[in-house]
Amino acid sequence: MKKNIILFLLLIGIFIVNCFYSIKAEAVYNSEGAVSYANAWALDRNPNYPSFSADCTNFVSQAMHEGGNLPFDKQNGWYCEKVLWWWNWGTAWSVANDLYKYLSNPSKGTVLGKWEPSQQSDINYNITRGDILFYDWNSDGTYDHAAIVVDYGRDAYRPDIIGDLQNQHTTDTYHAIWHLKPYNDRASSTTITAIRPK
């Protein structure tokens, strides 16, 4: 009987030690999952999340979380949760410039490049599916818009344009050219930065 009690207490002690010293598994960004989510919801709203009048960053964050499998990071403001009957979210989840700051941390993402208007050709060899694009409409250092790279091919709205394509919300688009020049009346002043989440 004493042996059974000692064995039982030893097992409980091992269990408690493992709880405190367990190795934390790091999430790895699933770019293809993020693209699938972005394609599914580019022209619609997921009813499991709030929708904003300026919904671009909320959409990109959803793609990174739901499809890309990145866990919420409440400590750093990248989360969205329903509390009883209202929504609570952090600014990194919903504001383009704050998401840029969040992802530009080397532990969260890799900055792939920054392109001035004259450097934005239809094909960008630095970006790939699942990368996040940040648009600074006035090149003033503050990012105003976010989108996600989803494919390479023909622009769905301008079939004469072939290149890297993105999806976005606010002005909802599905497979538009990544630099948005045909749709952006501020194209001559827009700087774009791309980040690959980790």
Side-chain angles (χ1 to χ4, degrees):
M1 185 69 169
K2 272 187 173 183
K3 285 182 183 179
N4 288 343
I5 293 173
I6 291 171
L7 183 60
F8 178 73
L9 292 173
L10 183 63
L11 289 173
I12 289 177
I14 291 170
F15 175 76
I16 291 170
V17 167
N18 281 336
C19 287
F20 286 108
Y21 293 103
S22 62
I23 297 170
K24 182 181 174 187
E26 292 294 321
V28 176
Y29 180 59
N30 179 348
S31 59
E32 288 304 312
V35 168
S36 294
Y37 183 93
N39 283 332
W41 294 102
L43 302 177
D44 203 356
R45 298 292 191 272
N46 184 338
N48 295 321
Y49 286 92
S51 178
F52 303 100
S53 56
D55 199 58
C56 62
T57 310
N58 178 41
F59 170 66
V60 166
S61 289
Q62 287 176 39
M64 289 168 41
H65 175 67
E66 288 287 332
N69 294 326
L70 291 183
F72 291 141
D73 184 355
K74 205 164 186 179
Q75 182 177 0
N76 293 300
W78 191 72
Y79 69 95
C80 184
E81 63 187 1
K82 193 164 192 176
V83 181
L84 300 176
W85 58 86
W86 69 88
W87 287 96
N88 188 22
W89 60 86
T91 58
W93 181 274
S94 59
V95 177
N97 200 60
D98 289 347
L99 180 59
Y100 166 79
K101 289 177 186 175
Y102 176 76
L103 288 178
S104 62
N105 178 320
S107 69
K108 304 295 182 191
T110 302
V111 177
L112 304 172
K114 180 177 181 178
W115 299 274
E116 302 299 325
S118 63
Q119 301 167 314
Q120 298 166 13
S121 60
D122 295 345
I123 300 170
N124 184 328
Y125 294 104
N126 295 300
I127 62 177
T128 191
R129 294 162 54 94
D131 292 343
I132 308 303
L133 301 171
F134 293 94
Y135 300 80
D136 178 355
W137 300 135
N138 303 311
S139 293
D140 62 2
T142 300
Y143 290 94
D144 309 290
H145 181 62
I148 182 169
V149 179
V150 291
D151 211 347
Y152 175 86
R154 291 189 184 277
D155 185 308
Y157 309 95
R158 292 280 307 272
D160 57 314
I161 299 174
I162 298 174
D164 294 288
L165 306 174
Q166 57 96 303
N167 289 353
Q168 67 179 27
H169 271 190
T170 302
T171 301
D172 297 0
T173 60
Y174 176 86
H175 289 212
I177 195 68
W178 75 280
H179 52 63
L180 295 176
K181 285 182 179 178
Y183 318 105
N184 179 6
D185 57 3
R186 293 173 283 188
S188 63
S189 66
T190 298
T191 301
I192 305 171
T193 297
I195 298 180
R196 184 167 298 148
K198 291 182 177 178

